[in-house]
Amino acid sequence: MTYDVPIAPGETGDLAETTGTSGRGWPMWEVFVRARRGISHVHIGSLHAPDARTALQNARDVYTRRGEGVSVWVVPSSEISAFEPEAAAEYVEANEKVYRLATTYDIPDEVGQM
Amino acid sequence: MTPEERFDAIVAAEDKIEPSDWMPEGYRKTLIRQIAQHAHSEIIGMQPEGNWITRAPSLHRKAILMAKVQDEAGHGLYLYSAAETLGVERDQLQQLLHEGKHKYSSIFNYPTLSWADMGAIGWLVDGAAITNQVMLTRCSYGPYARAMVRICKEESFHQRQGYELLIRLCNGSEQQKAMAQDALDRWWWPSLMMFGPHDTDSPHTEQSMEWKIKRVSNDELRQQFVDMTVPQADYLGLRIPDPELRWNKRRGHYDFGEIDWEEFWNVVKGNGPMNRDRIAHKTRAWEEGAWVREAATAHADKSRSAA
Amino acid sequence: MTETITANAPQGTPVPDLGDRVTSLVAHADDNMVMAQRLGEWISNAPDLELDIALGNIALDHLGVARALYTHAGEIERKGRTEDDFAMRRSEREFLNVLLVEQPNGDFAHTIVRQVFFDVYQQLLWAALADSGDDTLAGIAGRAAKETAYHNEFSRSWLERLGGGTVESHRRAQEAVDALWRYTSEITSDEWMRVITRVLNESGLVVPDDPYQRSGGRQGYHTEHLGYLLAEMQWMDRAHPGMTW
C-alpha cells in the first residue's frame, strides 16, 4: 500500500506548508530503554511532554506496552550534545537539530522472512 | 566531495541518511509528507476499528481489538517522531491533516458496518501494510527505516488476528459466513486501491525510487498482495468480488480486473463515504481536548518556576 | 462532618448474598468490566495521542482483571459459566458493580476524578485480598496491585495537573468531584477517606460538604446508565446467541 497518497487533479502540490505555530511549546525528550538486565540503554525514539514526570509516563505507555523496558530514561533533547564527524560543516550550522542522535538497529531475522 | 555527491554516495551504497546529513530539499519535503501521511493513517485507522470496541462479541475479542488499536496509536507516535527529525513538529503536521492538506490511506474512508469488518481490515489492510513494510525498512532515511523495524515487530499479530477472526466466522453459522462474505465484498476493491494509481499515472514514483524512499512500484506491490491473498480467500471458502480474477500460468501471477478509478480519485479528493466524518471526529477530539493540554502546560510552567 | 443521607434500593428489593464467594468475585469483576467498557469509549477520542494510549492501556488492565475474576468465579461455582456468560448474558439487575464506574465519561476531568476515586478503592482492595486464603484470588490481587499502583500514579498526577492547571481545568475538576461524590459511599472507608482528602487537597480541590449519597450497585439497583452500557456491550452476543467468535 502507499502512504504517498497522490495529489488529486486540482489540488496544490505544496508539501509540508505549515499554517501556524505548533502552539504548545512542549519540549522534546529523547527516550532510552534498557529492555532487560545485562544490556545497555538504547535510544528508542522521542516524544513531547511538558515536564519529566509526564515524559516518563508517556515513554512507559508508548515504548513499553509489550512489557519490555526494565529501565526507561528520558532526557530533554536540548541537553544532548553531539559529535557528528561526517556531517558537512555548512549543513551543521544550518541545522539546529544536530543534537538528534544517530543510532543503528540490527534488522531482526524475522523481518527478512516476512 | 559536494554535499550532493555525499548524499548520492550514501544512498547508492544502501547506507542510511541520518537527520544531521545534508539532503536535497525535495527529499526532505517528500519524506515529511510521506512519513506524516503514514502516521496520519495509523491515527485515523484507529477510528474504523475503534468503532467496534464497545460492541466486540466476546471479552477475548474486545481485548485483542483494544490492543490492536493501541498499537496503531503507538505506531503513529513512532512515525511522528521520525517525521520530526526532519524539522517539523507534530502539531503542525496534525494541523495539515485537519485542514485536508495532508492525506491518509484512503482505505480508512470506508465505514465498518459489521463485526466481520474487523476481520477483513486485519486480513486485507494489515496484509497490504505488510507487503509494504519490508520495503520501507529498506528506505534510505534512517529514522523512518528504524521506525518501520519497530512497527514490523508488532504488526504480524494484527494480520493474524484478523484472519483468525474470519476463520471462526467461516466455520460458524450461515449468518456468520454470510457476514464474512459481505465484508470481503465491501473491502476487496478498496484494499487494492490502497496501493495507489498505476505507476504510469504516478508522477512522484520515479524520483522516490531514485532517492530510495520507494523501493517497489505500486503495481508490483499490488500484484504481490493479490498473489498472497487469493489463496487465503480460497482457504476461507470466500469468493473475491472480481469476475476477471484468474491464475495466469504463463505470467506466474493472478490476473485481475481494473480498479474503478473514478471511485479511487473521488475518495482521494475527499468525497469518499467517511472522509468528512473521519476528519470531523479527529478535529473534535483535538478541540475538545484543548483545555486539557493547556492545563498540563500551565501546571508544568508553575512547577518549573516554583522549583 | 455532616451525617450522610443515602438513597438506596427501595424497600422490598431483593439483596444478593455478598458473603457468598462467587457473588463477591463477580461484583469485583463487574466493577472492572464496566470500568473497562467506559474507558474503551475514549479510544480515538482523547485529548492527545499519549492519553489515548494511556487510557487504552488502563482499560485493558481492567478488562484483564475482570476476565480473571469471572473465570475464577465460574470455576468455584461449577455450573460451567464462562467469562462471556457473566459479561454478556446477565441482565442489569444481576450486575453488581458499584454505581461510580457506570457513570458516563463526561469530560476528561470527570473521567480522571472517577478513576482517582476508584483507584484508591482498588489499591486498598487488592492489598486486603493478597492475604486471601484463596490462592488464585491472591495471585490475581497481586498482579492487579501492580497495575493499580500505576493507575494511581497516572490518575493522581492528572488530577494535580487539572486542579493546579488553569482556571478552567480547576473548575471542571471541582465540578467532577462534586458530581461524583454521591457515588462514593459504596467504596469509602476511613483509609479511603484519608487518602482521598490528601489527594484532593494536594490538587487544590475541596472535599464536598454534600450529605447525599446514592447507593445500591451491590444490590443490582443501578442508575439508568448501566442499561445503555450493557445494551451496547451485549448486543452482538444477544443478536447471535450461542455463536463462537
Side-chain angles (χ1 to χ4, degrees):
Chain A
M1 73 192 287
T2 181
Y3 302 103
D4 178 22
V5 183
I7 318 273
E11 290 183 333
T12 71
D14 282 333
L15 301 171
E17 292 304 320
T18 56
T19 51
T21 61
S22 62
R24 259 194 283 187
W26 286 5
M28 183 138 50
W29 305 73
E30 304 296 329
V31 181
F32 300 80
V33 174
R34 186 185 65 212
R36 58 185 186 278
R37 298 192 178 287
I39 62 176
S40 55
H41 283 77
V42 176
H43 178 243
I44 214 158
S46 61
L47 51 83
H48 288 281
D51 56 32
R53 190 184 188 190
T54 315
L56 273 172
Q57 281 175 349
N58 291 346
R60 188 193 177 281
D61 277 324
V62 176
Y63 292 108
T64 69
R65 278 173 298 113
R66 284 220 174 7
E68 73 260 27
V70 170
S71 169
V72 180
W73 291 347
V74 294
V75 181
S77 307
S78 56
E79 290 300 311
I80 294 179
S81 306
F83 176 58
E84 302 269 359
E86 288 179 30
E90 57 273 18
Y91 193 61
V92 166
E93 283 172 69
N95 181 3
E96 286 160 17
K97 292 196 171 16
V98 85
Y99 53 74
R100 301 308 299 274
L101 300 181
T103 56
T104 52
Y105 272 72
D106 288 326
I107 297 191
D109 291 341
E110 58 198 301
V111 173
Q113 279 150 33
M114 277 180 68
Chain B
M1 234 191 205
T2 66
E4 291 94 336
E5 284 166 341
R6 243 190 101 245
F7 172 84
D8 290 337
I10 292 171
V11 172
E14 294 285 340
D15 221 334
K16 299 298 182 204
I17 300 293
E18 297 295 347
S20 51
D21 288 324
W22 182 91
M23 60 186 81
E25 189 57 11
Y27 180 84
R28 193 182 76 94
K29 284 194 158 177
T30 301
L31 272 173
I32 287 174
R33 189 183 167 103
Q34 180 165 330
I35 299 172
Q37 290 188 161
H38 193 162
H40 298 325
S41 300
E42 296 280 353
I43 302 315
I44 298 292
M46 293 169 68
Q47 289 182 39
E49 293 179 297
N51 189 34
W52 278 89
I53 284 175
T54 55
R55 290 178 294 166
S58 71
L59 299 190
H60 175 62
R61 289 292 164 195
K62 193 191 289 283
I64 290 174
L65 189 54
M66 273 180 166
K68 179 176 197 284
V69 176
Q70 292 310 88
D71 275 357
E72 277 148 24
H75 294 174
L77 277 179
Y78 305 156
L79 289 163
Y80 283 128
S81 298
E84 285 181 320
T85 63
L86 291 160
V88 288
E89 291 200 27
R90 192 217 297 180
D91 286 0
Q92 295 172 316
L93 300 174
Q94 260 196 149
Q95 181 81 351
L96 290 167
L97 172 67
H98 294 171
E99 291 172 4
K101 290 182 180 158
H102 265 186
K103 299 193 184 292
Y104 50 90
S105 189
S106 49
I107 191 74
F108 301 122
N109 290 314
Y110 294 86
T112 50
L113 300 177
S114 81
W115 172 249
D117 289 18
M118 296 300 102
I121 287 181
W123 171 40
L124 299 174
V125 178
D126 291 304
I130 284 166
T131 62
N132 199 43
Q133 266 162 193
V134 175
M135 174 186 91
L136 288 174
T137 59
R138 294 188 294 125
C139 166
S140 56
Y141 188 57
Y144 191 22
R146 287 190 292 276
M148 288 316 305
V149 169
R150 199 176 169 84
I151 288 171
C152 273
K153 277 187 182 155
E154 299 176 354
E155 195 68 53
S156 54
F157 127 76
H158 292 187
Q159 198 200 14
R160 277 202 298 271
Q161 67 80 37
Y163 192 64
E164 198 227 343
L165 190 158
L166 291 173
I167 291 177
R168 291 283 178 90
L169 295 182
C170 292
N171 287 335
S173 70
E174 286 310 307
Q175 245 187 333
Q176 286 177 303
K177 266 184 271 202
M179 203 193 290
Q181 180 62 61
D182 173 67
L184 176 54
D185 288 341
R186 285 181 287 105
W187 288 94
W188 176 254
W189 286 103
S191 298
L192 294 194
M193 290 179 201
M194 281 192 303
F195 294 92
H198 284 311
D199 296 305
T200 44
D201 299 324
S202 186
H204 294 296
T205 290
E206 203 186 317
Q207 180 63 270
S208 289
M209 299 279 253
E210 261 176 48
W211 281 331
K212 298 195 178 163
I213 293 173
K214 194 182 183 66
R215 307 304 306 259
V216 183
S217 74
N218 292 351
D219 288 323
E220 269 181 81
L221 282 175
R222 191 170 9 242
Q223 182 69 70
Q224 226 178 290
F225 173 75
V226 172
D227 291 342
M228 173 181 77
T229 310
V230 172
Q232 293 170 345
D234 290 341
Y235 178 82
L236 291 172
L238 295 177
R239 180 200 65 243
I240 288 176
D242 179 1
E244 291 172 63
L245 181 67
R246 62 181 52 82
W247 176 252
N248 183 319
K249 196 155 52 164
R250 182 186 51 80
R251 284 201 313 129
H253 294 286
Y254 283 94
D255 289 337
F256 52 96
E258 194 63 26
I259 286 171
D260 179 348
W261 294 109
E262 198 184 320
E263 180 185 331
F264 174 87
W265 287 109
N266 220 15
V267 177
V268 166
K269 271 189 254 183
N271 297 319
M274 293 290 290
N275 299 56
R276 295 190 189 191
D277 304 76
R278 297 295 182 221
I279 294 299
H281 179 131
K282 175 81 181 58
T283 317
R284 180 187 43 77
W286 182 251
E287 285 166 1
E288 285 179 3
W291 68 268
V292 178
R293 298 186 299 273
E294 280 156 23
T297 305
H299 181 259
D301 288 344
K302 285 186 205 175
S303 303
R304 238 194 323 275
S305 33
Chain C
M1 197 167 67
T2 40
E3 204 59 40
T4 53
I5 309 163
T6 307
N8 209 332
Q11 177 180 13
T13 306
V15 172
D17 175 12
L18 282 172
D20 169 63
R21 267 175 88 202
V22 173
T23 310
S24 170
L25 285 171
V26 170
H28 293 307
D30 287 342
D31 285 347
N32 280 276
M33 183 71 244
V34 173
M35 194 52 133
Q37 187 72 2
R38 278 298 185 218
L39 290 173
E41 294 169 19
W42 272 108
I43 292 174
S44 84
N45 291 307
D48 214 340
L49 268 180
E50 287 83 352
L51 275 173
D52 219 300
I53 292 177
L55 291 170
N57 284 351
I58 295 173
L60 274 165
D61 287 346
H62 284 303
L63 180 56
V65 168
R67 296 178 68 194
L69 290 173
Y70 282 140
T71 301
H72 187 43
E75 283 162 359
I76 297 178
E77 192 187 44
R78 292 161 161 265
K79 288 183 186 166
R81 282 211 276 183
T82 65
E83 60 184 9
D84 287 324
D85 284 319
F86 285 109
M88 301 298 187
R89 292 159 204 149
R90 287 186 303 142
S91 73
E92 67 205 82
R93 289 283 289 120
E94 293 169 273
F95 265 72
L96 302 176
N97 55 282
V98 294
L99 303 181
L100 176 70
V101 297
E102 73 197 44
Q103 299 312 302
N105 287 335
D107 65 10
F108 185 69
H110 223 86
T111 290
I112 287 298
V113 170
R114 184 185 63 199
Q115 196 67 38
V116 169
F117 288 171
F118 190 61
D119 286 342
V120 174
Y121 168 68
Q122 292 271 86
Q123 187 175 41
L124 298 169
L125 175 71
W126 303 134
L129 291 179
D131 293 328
S132 167
D134 176 340
D135 283 342
T136 307
L137 179 56
I140 295 172
R143 282 190 301 280
K146 291 195 181 114
E147 291 171 349
T148 300
Y150 177 71
H151 301 172
N152 267 290
E153 159 70 11
F154 173 83
S155 58
R156 287 184 210 184
S157 65
W158 271 103
L159 192 64
E160 269 181 52
R161 290 181 194 111
L162 299 183
T166 59
V167 168
E168 180 176 8
S169 70
H170 179 95
R171 175 184 61 78
R172 287 176 184 256
Q174 188 64 59
E175 276 172 12
V177 171
D178 294 343
L180 292 172
W181 193 252
R182 72 200 62 164
Y183 302 112
T184 57
S185 69
E186 293 186 295
I187 57 174
T188 197
S189 61
D190 289 342
E191 182 63 12
W192 184 91
M193 194 59 195
R194 205 186 55 77
V195 175
I196 286 293
T197 303
R198 177 172 55 80
V199 168
L200 289 178
N201 289 339
E202 281 171 0
S203 303
L205 298 166
V206 169
V207 176
D209 186 23
D210 182 359
Y212 174 73
Q213 287 290 330
R214 167 74 159 91
S215 177
R218 295 282 192 234
Q219 285 79 46
Y221 188 74
H222 290 277
T223 66
E224 289 179 350
H225 298 297
L226 186 65
Y228 289 100
L229 182 147
L230 293 181
E232 198 169 315
M233 189 172 94
Q234 298 181 342
W235 119 259
M236 277 297 288
D237 184 82
R238 292 192 188 272
H240 306 273
M243 295 294 106
T244 332
W245 301 98

